[in-house]
Structure formats: C-alpha cells, structure tokens
Amino acid sequence: MKRLLSIQDISCIGKCSLTVALPIISAEGVETAVLPTAVLSTHTAFKGFTFRDLTGDLRAIAAHWKQEGIKFDAIYTGYLGSFEQIEIVSQIIEDFRTPETLIFVDPAMGDNGKLYVGFDAAFAKEMGFLCNQADVIVPNLTEAAAMLGIAYPGDNCPREEYENILRMLCSRGARQALLTGVPDGTDRLGVLALNGETGNFSEYYRERIARSFHGTGDVFASACAGAMTRGASLPDAMKLAVDFTVDSLRATVAYPDHNWYGVDFETAVPALIHGLDAILKK
Ligand code: PXL
C-alpha cells in the first residue's frame, strides 16, 4: 500500500485541511500519515477560534521518522501558518523525497481575490518558494496571483492570461501546475493544468454552482493527491477530483439547512472510489 504524508493544520470543526485529507485519501486506498502543524478549534472563518501552534514539534517528529527509517510515496502539504512552518516543511520535503516521491503542494492561502486572515504578500512569496520544489501545485487564482506578485486577474479574463500564469508557475520550478476556479464562459467552472515538461495543457469544466464554502479546495486537492499517489495521471486525477468536488457541493446545497462552513464530501465518497477504480483499470 502506498503511504502519503499530509502536512497541514487540524481544524477540529470546519471540514478542511486534515479532517478532509484523512478520510478522502484513506478512502482512495492510500495510507495517510499526518503531520499536524497546528490545532484550531475551528477554521479561521469562524470568530474567536483557538489556535495551538505545533511548529516547535515538527522537526522532532520528522527526526523520529528518519530514525525509524519511515518512507513516504507522496507528501501533500496544505494550509501552513507561518514563515517558519514553510521553512521546516521545505526541509522535510528535501529530507524525505526520493526520485519516486510525489510532492504535491496546495498553497492554501486565500480565495475570491483575498488572502485568509493572517497572510500577506510576503507570506505568499515564501509559499511560492515551496511551490517551486513541487511536482504538482494546485493554487486557485487568488493564490497564484499572490505568489507571482501580480494583480488578481478576476475570473473573466482571456484564457491566454490563465495559460501565462501557469507558464510562469512552471518556469519557477513546479513540474506541473494546475489552476482551480477557472471559468469556461459564464456558467461553467473548472481546472486548467500545464505539464511544464511536455508543454501540454489539460482542462476540465463542470456546471458552476453559485455557492462557495470553505475547505472546497482541500476536498479537491485531497482527492487529486490521493489519486495521483495511486498512479493516476494529473489529467485523470483532476477530472475525478472536480467531479467529486461538484458532487460534494451538490450534496451540501441539497439540504435547506446545510452547513455554511464546509461541504458534505462524505456523501460523495462512494462515487469517488468507483471513479478511481475505473481510472486504475484503464
Ligand atoms: O484550506 C482551508 C483552510 C485550512 N486551514 C485553516 C483555514 C482554512 C480556510 O480558511 O482557516 C486553518
């Protein structure tokens, strides 16, 4: 069985980061080890959340794994809370990566043109350096623009602009870059990816669901990272992950009194498993 290490916070309530990555990637048939970077009572969209920083533990945990000879087939990083955490995570990636390890970085920092509470342009630049070490990165437009230090392009610019953003991200070092939240006309939304080694673009769109929830990017990234760890290509994994995200959103809004803080991805897990099986049998 493949083993993936997921490095991000654990928000006890909120359905994002590790509470999303663990169930989704496990369901995809991948052992999911975790390195929790912080414990929060809720994600940061709630008011008054508690925050226990675990930065001081990260190096010792990784050193113990080294001593035990533990290896990972993939390392998937998400929300990170400080410059120091980015630096430590970058070091852990270098210490544990082999030519076969999949390094998958979701620079979870913002959405809809705004960075989350506590992040600024300098932090985004630092996250950009982590992305340069990765095999696959999956920023949304807000995160990509912030890392490149360009203005948020909005979500109705010409397609060439999205392609240029991907070229810039790959030219900095990421082997494959994928943009989430890319529009296709007014009523479709999806992902556009560039394989920096072949120069090939791939894309996949579904109907736009006019609601947004926290953690949706984590649902997408987890499904995509897990599928790639099983051996799916990025074009196959991203389709699977977009369908899973749309299914999760649909399941959420189907309830009149649905959560405002996260998506009901749990309902969509059976279809995710079948979809991944179909890809692996191709
Ligand atoms: O990736 C979403 C996320 C993860 N972790 C924390 C967050 C958020 C989004 O707000 O606050 C702590």
Side-chain angles (χ1 to χ4, degrees), residues 60-140:
I61 293 172
H64 180 219
W65 291 338
K66 264 279 159 209
Q67 201 185 334
E68 292 292 316
I70 290 173
K71 296 193 165 57
F72 301 106
D73 300 291
I75 299 179
Y76 155 40
T77 74
Y79 181 102
L80 299 172
S82 65
F83 281 76
E84 191 183 0
Q85 281 189 356
I86 295 178
E87 191 192 314
I88 295 171
V89 168
S90 165
Q91 190 60 54
I92 291 173
I93 288 174
E94 288 319 310
D95 288 350
F96 283 87
R97 95 185 290 175
T98 70
E100 288 77 43
T101 318
L102 170 71
I103 307 297
F104 189 105
V105 174
D106 177 10
M109 284 182 297
D111 210 355
N112 300 314
K114 281 202 209 115
L115 295 179
Y116 298 139
V117 177
F119 295 150
D120 60 12
F123 183 82
K125 196 171 167 201
E126 194 69 19
M127 188 66 99
F129 294 131
L130 187 67
C131 283
N132 299 344
Q133 283 175 272
D135 296 307
V136 180
I137 62 172
V138 293
N140 59 30

Coordinates of all heavy atoms in Angstrom, one line a residue, residues 60-140:
A60 N 11.2 17.5 15.5 CA 11.4 16.3 16.3 C 10.6 15.1 15.8 O 11.1 14.0 15.8 CB 11.1 16.6 17.8
I61 N 9.4 15.4 15.3 CA 8.6 14.3 14.8 C 9.3 13.7 13.5 O 9.4 12.5 13.4 CB 7.2 14.8 14.5 CG1 6.4 15.2 15.8 CG2 6.4 13.8 13.7 CD1 5.1 15.9 15.5
A62 N 9.7 14.6 12.7 CA 10.4 14.2 11.4 C 11.7 13.4 11.7 O 12.0 12.4 11.1 CB 10.6 15.4 10.5
A63 N 12.4 13.9 12.7 CA 13.7 13.3 13.1 C 13.4 11.8 13.6 O 14.1 10.9 13.3 CB 14.4 14.1 14.1
H64 N 12.3 11.7 14.3 CA 12.0 10.3 14.8 C 11.6 9.4 13.6 O 12.1 8.2 13.6 CB 10.8 10.4 15.8 CG 10.4 9.1 16.3 ND1 9.1 8.7 16.5 CD2 11.1 8.0 16.7 CE1 9.0 7.5 17.0 NE2 10.2 7.0 17.1
W65 N 10.9 9.9 12.7 CA 10.6 9.1 11.5 C 11.9 8.7 10.7 O 12.0 7.5 10.3 CB 9.7 9.9 10.5 CG 8.3 10.1 11.0 CD1 7.6 9.4 12.0 CD2 7.4 11.1 10.6 NE1 6.4 9.9 12.2 CE2 6.2 11.0 11.3 CE3 7.4 12.2 9.7 CZ2 5.1 11.8 11.2 CZ3 6.3 13.0 9.5 CH2 5.2 12.8 10.2
K66 N 12.8 9.6 10.6 CA 14.1 9.3 9.9 C 14.8 8.2 10.6 O 15.2 7.2 10.0 CB 15.0 10.5 9.9 CG 14.9 11.4 8.7 CD 15.8 10.8 7.6 CE 15.3 11.3 6.3 NZ 15.4 10.5 5.1
Q67 N 14.8 8.3 12.0 CA 15.5 7.3 12.8 C 14.8 5.9 12.6 O 15.5 4.9 12.6 CB 15.3 7.7 14.2 CG 16.3 7.2 15.2 CD 15.9 7.6 16.6 OE1 15.3 8.7 16.8 NE2 16.2 6.9 17.6
E68 N 13.5 5.9 12.4 CA 12.7 4.7 12.2 C 12.8 4.2 10.8 O 12.2 3.1 10.5 CB 11.3 4.8 12.7 CG 11.1 5.1 14.1 CD 11.4 3.8 15.0 OE1 11.0 2.7 14.5 OE2 12.1 3.9 16.0
G69 N 13.4 4.9 9.9 CA 13.5 4.5 8.5 C 12.2 4.6 7.8 O 12.0 3.9 6.8
I70 N 11.3 5.5 8.2 CA 10.0 5.6 7.6 C 10.1 6.4 6.2 O 10.9 7.3 6.1 CB 9.0 6.3 8.6 CG1 8.7 5.3 9.7 CG2 7.7 6.7 7.9 CD1 8.0 5.8 10.8
K71 N 9.4 5.8 5.2 CA 9.4 6.4 3.9 C 8.0 6.8 3.4 O 7.0 6.2 3.9 CB 10.1 5.4 2.9 CG 11.5 5.1 3.3 CD 12.2 4.4 2.2 CE 13.7 4.4 2.4 NZ 14.2 3.9 3.6
F72 N 8.0 7.8 2.5 CA 6.7 8.2 2.0 C 6.7 8.1 0.5 O 7.7 8.5 -0.1 CB 6.3 9.6 2.5 CG 6.3 9.8 4.0 CD1 7.3 10.4 4.6 CD2 5.2 9.2 4.7 CE1 7.3 10.5 6.0 CE2 5.2 9.3 6.1 CZ 6.3 10.0 6.8
D73 N 5.6 7.7 -0.1 CA 5.4 7.7 -1.6 C 5.0 9.1 -2.0 O 5.2 9.4 -3.2 CB 4.4 6.6 -2.0 CG 4.8 5.2 -1.6 OD1 5.8 4.8 -2.1 OD2 4.2 4.7 -0.6
A74 N 4.3 9.8 -1.1 CA 3.9 11.2 -1.5 C 3.9 12.1 -0.3 O 3.7 11.6 0.8 CB 2.5 11.1 -2.1
I75 N 4.1 13.3 -0.5 CA 4.0 14.3 0.6 C 3.1 15.4 0.0 O 3.3 15.9 -1.1 CB 5.4 15.0 0.9 CG1 6.3 13.9 1.5 CG2 5.2 16.1 2.0 CD1 7.7 14.3 1.8
Y76 N 2.0 15.6 0.8 CA 1.0 16.6 0.3 C 0.9 17.7 1.4 O 0.5 17.4 2.5 CB -0.4 15.8 0.1 CG -1.6 16.7 0.2 CD1 -1.7 18.0 -0.3 CD2 -2.8 16.1 0.9 CE1 -2.9 18.7 -0.1 CE2 -3.9 16.8 1.0 CZ -4.0 18.1 0.5 OH -5.2 18.8 0.6
T77 N 1.2 18.9 1.0 CA 1.1 20.0 2.0 C -0.1 20.9 1.7 O -0.4 21.1 0.5 CB 2.4 20.8 2.1 OG1 2.5 21.6 0.9 CG2 3.6 19.9 2.2
G78 N -0.7 21.4 2.7 CA -1.8 22.4 2.5 C -1.6 23.6 3.3 O -0.4 24.2 3.3
Y79 N -2.6 24.1 4.0 CA -2.5 25.3 4.8 C -1.3 25.3 5.8 O -1.2 24.3 6.6 CB -3.8 25.4 5.6 CG -4.0 26.7 6.5 CD1 -4.8 27.7 6.1 CD2 -3.4 26.7 7.7 CE1 -5.0 28.8 6.9 CE2 -3.6 27.8 8.6 CZ -4.3 28.9 8.1 OH -4.5 30.0 8.9
L80 N -0.5 26.3 5.7 CA 0.6 26.4 6.7 C 0.5 27.8 7.3 O 0.2 28.8 6.6 CB 2.0 26.2 5.9 CG 2.2 24.8 5.3 CD1 3.5 24.8 4.5 CD2 2.2 23.7 6.4
G81 N 0.9 28.0 8.6 CA 0.5 29.2 9.2 C 1.6 30.2 9.4 O 1.3 31.3 9.8
S82 N 2.9 29.9 9.1 CA 3.9 30.9 9.3 C 5.1 30.7 8.4 O 5.3 29.6 7.8 CB 4.4 30.8 10.8 OG 5.1 29.6 11.0
F83 N 6.0 31.6 8.3 CA 7.2 31.5 7.5 C 8.1 30.3 8.0 O 8.6 29.6 7.3 CB 8.1 32.8 7.7 CG 7.6 33.9 6.8 CD1 6.5 34.7 7.2 CD2 8.3 34.3 5.6 CE1 6.1 35.7 6.4 CE2 7.9 35.3 4.9 CZ 6.7 36.0 5.2
E84 N 8.1 30.2 9.4 CA 9.0 29.2 9.9 C 8.4 27.8 9.5 O 9.2 26.9 9.2 CB 9.0 29.3 11.4 CG 10.1 28.4 12.0 CD 10.2 28.4 13.6 OE1 9.4 29.2 14.2 OE2 11.0 27.7 14.1
Q85 N 7.1 27.7 9.5 CA 6.5 26.4 9.1 C 6.8 26.1 7.7 O 7.1 24.9 7.3 CB 5.0 26.4 9.3 CG 4.6 26.2 10.8 CD 3.1 26.0 10.9 OE1 2.3 26.1 10.0 NE2 2.7 25.8 12.2
I86 N 6.8 27.1 6.8 CA 7.1 26.8 5.4 C 8.6 26.3 5.3 O 8.9 25.4 4.6 CB 6.9 28.1 4.5 CG1 5.4 28.4 4.5 CG2 7.4 27.9 3.1 CD1 5.1 29.7 3.7
E87 N 9.4 27.0 6.1 CA 10.9 26.6 6.0 C 11.1 25.2 6.5 O 11.8 24.4 5.9 CB 11.6 27.6 6.9 CG 13.1 27.5 6.8 CD 13.7 28.3 7.9 OE1 13.3 29.5 8.2 OE2 14.7 27.8 8.6
I88 N 10.4 24.8 7.6 CA 10.6 23.5 8.1 C 10.0 22.4 7.1 O 10.6 21.4 6.9 CB 9.9 23.3 9.5 CG1 10.6 24.2 10.5 CG2 9.8 21.9 10.0 CD1 9.8 24.3 11.9
V89 N 8.8 22.7 6.6 CA 8.2 21.8 5.6 C 9.1 21.6 4.4 O 9.3 20.5 3.9 CB 6.8 22.3 5.3 CG1 6.2 21.5 4.1 CG2 5.9 22.2 6.5
S90 N 9.7 22.7 4.0 CA 10.6 22.6 2.8 C 11.7 21.7 3.1 O 12.1 20.9 2.3 CB 11.0 24.1 2.5 OG 12.1 24.1 1.7
Q91 N 12.3 21.8 4.3 CA 13.4 20.9 4.7 C 12.9 19.5 4.8 O 13.7 18.5 4.4 CB 13.9 21.4 6.1 CG 15.2 20.8 6.5 CD 16.3 21.0 5.5 OE1 16.6 22.2 5.2 NE2 17.0 20.0 5.0
I92 N 11.7 19.2 5.4 CA 11.2 17.9 5.5 C 11.1 17.2 4.1 O 11.4 16.1 3.8 CB 9.9 17.8 6.3 CG1 10.1 18.2 7.7 CG2 9.2 16.5 6.1 CD1 8.9 18.4 8.6
I93 N 10.6 18.1 3.1 CA 10.4 17.6 1.8 C 11.8 17.1 1.2 O 12.0 16.0 0.7 CB 9.8 18.6 0.9 CG1 8.3 18.8 1.2 CG2 10.0 18.3 -0.6 CD1 7.6 19.9 0.5
E94 N 12.8 18.0 1.4 CA 14.1 17.6 0.9 C 14.7 16.4 1.6 O 15.3 15.5 1.0 CB 15.1 18.8 1.0 CG 14.8 19.9 0.0 CD 14.5 19.4 -1.4 OE1 15.2 18.6 -1.9 OE2 13.4 19.9 -1.9
D95 N 14.4 16.2 2.9 CA 15.0 15.1 3.7 C 14.3 13.8 3.3 O 14.9 12.7 3.4 CB 14.7 15.3 5.2 CG 15.7 16.4 5.7 OD1 16.6 16.8 5.0 OD2 15.5 16.8 6.9
F96 N 13.0 13.8 2.9 CA 12.3 12.6 2.7 C 12.1 12.2 1.2 O 11.6 11.2 0.9 CB 10.9 12.6 3.4 CG 11.1 12.3 4.9 CD1 11.3 13.4 5.8 CD2 11.0 11.1 5.4 CE1 11.5 13.2 7.2 CE2 11.1 10.8 6.8 CZ 11.4 11.9 7.7
R97 N 12.4 13.2 0.3 CA 12.0 12.9 -1.1 C 13.0 12.0 -1.7 O 14.2 12.0 -1.4 CB 11.8 14.2 -1.9 CG 13.0 14.7 -2.6 CD 12.7 16.1 -3.3 NE 11.7 16.0 -4.4 CZ 11.2 17.1 -5.0 NH1 11.6 18.3 -4.6 NH2 10.3 17.0 -6.0
T98 N 12.5 11.1 -2.6 CA 13.4 10.3 -3.5 C 12.9 10.6 -4.9 O 11.9 11.3 -5.0 CB 13.1 8.8 -3.2 OG1 11.8 8.5 -3.7 CG2 13.2 8.4 -1.7
P99 N 13.6 10.1 -5.9 CA 13.1 10.4 -7.3 C 11.7 10.0 -7.5 O 11.0 10.5 -8.4 CB 14.1 9.6 -8.1 CG 15.3 9.5 -7.3 CD 14.8 9.3 -5.9
E100 N 11.2 9.0 -6.7 CA 9.8 8.5 -6.9 C 8.7 9.2 -6.1 O 7.6 9.0 -6.4 CB 9.7 7.0 -6.6 CG 10.4 6.1 -7.6 CD 11.9 6.1 -7.4 OE1 12.3 6.0 -6.2 OE2 12.7 6.1 -8.4
T101 N 9.2 10.0 -5.1 CA 8.2 10.6 -4.2 C 7.4 11.7 -5.0 O 8.0 12.5 -5.7 CB 8.9 11.3 -3.0 OG1 9.9 10.5 -2.6 CG2 7.9 11.6 -1.9
L102 N 6.1 11.7 -4.8 CA 5.2 12.7 -5.4 C 5.1 13.9 -4.4 O 4.7 13.7 -3.3 CB 3.8 12.2 -5.7 CG 2.7 13.2 -6.0 CD1 3.0 13.8 -7.5 CD2 1.3 12.6 -5.9
I103 N 5.6 15.1 -4.8 CA 5.5 16.2 -3.9 C 4.3 17.1 -4.4 O 4.4 17.7 -5.5 CB 6.8 17.1 -3.9 CG1 8.0 16.2 -3.6 CG2 6.7 18.2 -2.9 CD1 8.0 15.5 -2.2
F104 N 3.3 17.2 -3.6 CA 2.0 17.8 -4.1 C 1.8 19.0 -3.1 O 1.6 18.8 -1.9 CB 0.9 16.8 -4.0 CG -0.4 17.2 -4.6 CD1 -0.8 16.6 -5.8 CD2 -1.3 18.0 -3.9 CE1 -2.0 17.0 -6.4 CE2 -2.5 18.4 -4.5 CZ -2.9 17.8 -5.7
V105 N 1.8 20.2 -3.6 CA 1.7 21.4 -2.7 C 0.4 22.1 -3.1 O 0.2 22.6 -4.2 CB 2.9 22.3 -2.9 CG1 2.7 23.6 -2.1 CG2 4.1 21.6 -2.4
D106 N -0.5 22.3 -2.1 CA -1.7 23.1 -2.3 C -1.4 24.4 -1.4 O -1.4 24.3 -0.2 CB -2.9 22.4 -1.8 CG -4.1 23.3 -1.9 OD1 -4.0 24.4 -2.5 OD2 -5.2 23.0 -1.3
P107 N -1.0 25.5 -2.1 CA -0.7 26.7 -1.3 C -1.9 27.4 -0.8 O -2.2 28.5 -1.1 CB 0.0 27.6 -2.4 CG -0.7 27.2 -3.7 CD -1.0 25.7 -3.5
A108 N -2.6 26.7 0.1 CA -3.9 27.2 0.6 C -3.7 28.5 1.4 O -3.2 28.5 2.5 CB -4.5 26.1 1.5
M109 N -4.1 29.6 0.8 CA -3.9 30.9 1.4 C -5.0 31.9 1.3 O -5.0 33.0 1.9 CB -2.7 31.6 0.8 CG -1.3 31.0 1.2 SD 0.0 31.9 0.4 CE -0.3 31.6 -1.4
G110 N -5.9 31.6 0.4 CA -7.0 32.6 0.1 C -8.0 32.2 -0.9 O -7.9 31.1 -1.5
D111 N -8.9 33.1 -1.2 CA -9.9 32.8 -2.2 C -10.6 34.1 -2.6 O -10.6 35.1 -1.8 CB -11.0 31.8 -1.6 CG -11.6 30.9 -2.7 OD1 -11.3 31.2 -3.9 OD2 -12.3 30.0 -2.4
N112 N -11.3 34.1 -3.8 CA -12.0 35.3 -4.2 C -11.3 36.6 -4.1 O -11.8 37.6 -3.7 CB -13.4 35.4 -3.4 CG -14.2 34.1 -3.5 OD1 -14.4 33.6 -4.6 ND2 -14.7 33.6 -2.4
G113 N -10.0 36.5 -4.5 CA -9.2 37.7 -4.5 C -8.6 38.2 -3.2 O -8.0 39.2 -3.1
K114 N -8.9 37.5 -2.1 CA -8.4 37.9 -0.8 C -7.7 36.8 -0.1 O -8.1 35.6 -0.2 CB -9.7 38.2 0.1 CG -10.3 39.5 -0.2 CD -11.0 40.0 1.1 CE -12.2 40.9 0.7 NZ -13.5 40.3 1.0
L115 N -6.6 37.2 0.6 CA -5.9 36.2 1.4 C -6.6 36.0 2.7 O -7.3 36.9 3.2 CB -4.4 36.7 1.6 CG -3.6 36.8 0.4 CD1 -2.2 37.3 0.7 CD2 -3.4 35.4 -0.4
Y116 N -6.5 34.8 3.3 CA -7.1 34.5 4.6 C -6.5 35.4 5.6 O -5.4 35.8 5.5 CB -7.0 33.0 5.0 CG -7.6 32.0 4.0 CD1 -7.0 30.8 3.7 CD2 -8.9 32.2 3.5 CE1 -7.5 29.9 2.9 CE2 -9.5 31.3 2.7 CZ -8.8 30.1 2.3 OH -9.4 29.2 1.5
V117 N -7.2 35.5 6.8 CA -6.7 36.2 7.9 C -5.3 35.8 8.3 O -5.0 34.6 8.3 CB -7.6 35.8 9.2 CG1 -7.1 36.5 10.5 CG2 -9.1 36.2 8.9
G118 N -4.4 36.8 8.5 CA -3.0 36.5 8.9 C -2.0 36.4 7.8 O -0.8 36.2 8.1
F119 N -2.5 36.4 6.5 CA -1.5 36.2 5.4 C -1.3 37.5 4.7 O -2.3 38.3 4.5 CB -2.0 35.1 4.5 CG -2.0 33.7 5.1 CD1 -2.9 32.8 4.6 CD2 -1.1 33.4 6.1 CE1 -3.0 31.5 5.2 CE2 -1.2 32.1 6.6 CZ -2.1 31.2 6.2
D120 N -0.1 37.7 4.1 CA 0.1 38.9 3.3 C 1.0 38.6 2.1 O 1.3 37.4 1.9 CB 0.7 40.0 4.2 CG 2.1 39.6 4.8 OD1 2.6 38.6 4.3 OD2 2.6 40.3 5.6
A121 N 1.4 39.6 1.4 CA 2.1 39.4 0.1 C 3.5 38.7 0.4 O 3.9 37.8 -0.4 CB 2.4 40.7 -0.6
A122 N 4.1 39.0 1.5 CA 5.4 38.4 1.8 C 5.3 36.9 2.1 O 6.1 36.1 1.6 CB 6.1 39.1 3.0
F123 N 4.2 36.6 2.7 CA 3.9 35.2 3.0 C 3.7 34.4 1.7 O 4.2 33.3 1.5 CB 2.7 35.0 4.0 CG 2.5 33.6 4.4 CD1 3.2 33.0 5.4 CD2 1.5 32.9 3.7 CE1 2.9 31.7 5.8 CE2 1.2 31.5 4.1 CZ 2.0 31.0 5.1
A124 N 2.9 35.0 0.8 CA 2.6 34.4 -0.4 C 3.9 34.1 -1.2 O 4.0 33.1 -1.9 CB 1.6 35.3 -1.2
K125 N 4.8 35.1 -1.2 CA 6.0 34.9 -1.9 C 6.8 33.7 -1.4 O 7.4 32.9 -2.1 CB 6.9 36.2 -1.7 CG 8.0 36.3 -2.7 CD 8.6 37.7 -2.6 CE 9.9 37.7 -3.4 NZ 10.8 38.7 -3.0
E126 N 6.8 33.6 0.0 CA 7.5 32.5 0.6 C 6.8 31.1 0.2 O 7.5 30.1 -0.1 CB 7.5 32.6 2.1 CG 8.4 31.8 2.9 CD 9.8 32.1 2.7 OE1 10.2 33.2 2.3 OE2 10.7 31.2 3.0
M127 N 5.5 31.1 0.2 CA 4.8 29.9 -0.3 C 5.2 29.6 -1.7 O 5.2 28.4 -2.1 CB 3.3 30.1 -0.1 CG 2.4 28.9 -0.3 SD 2.7 27.6 0.9 CE 1.3 27.9 2.0
G128 N 5.4 30.6 -2.5 CA 5.9 30.4 -3.9 C 7.2 29.6 -3.9 O 7.3 28.8 -4.8
F129 N 8.1 29.8 -3.0 CA 9.3 29.1 -3.0 C 9.0 27.6 -2.7 O 9.7 26.7 -3.3 CB 10.3 29.6 -1.9 CG 10.8 31.0 -2.3 CD1 10.8 32.0 -1.3 CD2 11.3 31.3 -3.5 CE1 11.2 33.3 -1.6 CE2 11.8 32.6 -3.9 CZ 11.7 33.6 -2.9
L130 N 8.1 27.3 -1.8 CA 7.7 25.9 -1.6 C 7.2 25.3 -2.8 O 7.5 24.1 -3.2 CB 6.7 25.8 -0.4 CG 6.4 24.4 0.1 CD1 7.6 23.8 0.8 CD2 5.2 24.5 1.1
C131 N 6.3 26.0 -3.5 CA 5.7 25.5 -4.8 C 6.8 25.2 -5.8 O 6.6 24.2 -6.6 CB 4.8 26.5 -5.4 SG 3.2 26.6 -4.5
N132 N 7.9 25.9 -5.8 CA 9.0 25.6 -6.8 C 9.6 24.3 -6.6 O 10.2 23.7 -7.5 CB 10.0 26.7 -6.7 CG 9.5 28.1 -7.0 OD1 8.4 28.2 -7.6 ND2 10.2 29.2 -6.7
Q133 N 9.5 23.7 -5.4 CA 10.1 22.4 -5.1 C 9.2 21.2 -5.5 O 9.5 20.1 -5.4 CB 10.2 22.2 -3.6 CG 11.4 22.9 -3.0 CD 11.3 22.8 -1.4 OE1 10.7 23.5 -0.7 NE2 12.0 21.7 -0.9
A134 N 7.9 21.6 -6.0 CA 6.9 20.5 -6.1 C 6.8 19.9 -7.4 O 7.2 20.5 -8.4 CB 5.5 21.2 -5.7
D135 N 6.2 18.7 -7.4 CA 5.9 18.0 -8.7 C 4.6 18.5 -9.2 O 4.4 18.7 -10.4 CB 5.8 16.5 -8.5 CG 7.1 15.9 -8.1 OD1 8.1 16.1 -8.8 OD2 7.2 15.2 -7.0
V136 N 3.7 18.8 -8.3 CA 2.3 19.3 -8.7 C 1.9 20.4 -7.7 O 2.0 20.2 -6.5 CB 1.3 18.1 -8.6 CG1 -0.1 18.6 -9.0 CG2 1.7 17.0 -9.5
I137 N 1.4 21.5 -8.2 CA 0.8 22.5 -7.4 C -0.6 22.8 -7.8 O -0.9 22.8 -9.0 CB 1.7 23.8 -7.3 CG1 1.8 24.5 -8.7 CG2 3.1 23.5 -6.8 CD1 2.5 25.8 -8.7
V138 N -1.5 23.2 -6.9 CA -2.9 23.4 -7.2 C -3.5 24.7 -6.6 O -4.4 24.6 -5.9 CB -3.7 22.1 -6.8 CG1 -3.3 20.9 -7.6 CG2 -3.6 21.8 -5.3
P139 N -2.9 25.8 -7.0 CA -3.4 27.1 -6.4 C -4.7 27.5 -7.1 O -5.0 27.0 -8.2 CB -2.3 28.1 -6.8 CG -1.7 27.6 -8.1 CD -1.7 26.1 -7.9
N140 N -5.5 28.3 -6.4 CA -6.6 28.9 -7.1 C -6.0 30.2 -7.7 O -4.9 30.5 -7.5 CB -7.8 29.1 -6.2 CG -7.5 30.0 -5.0 OD1 -6.6 30.8 -5.0 ND2 -8.2 29.7 -3.9

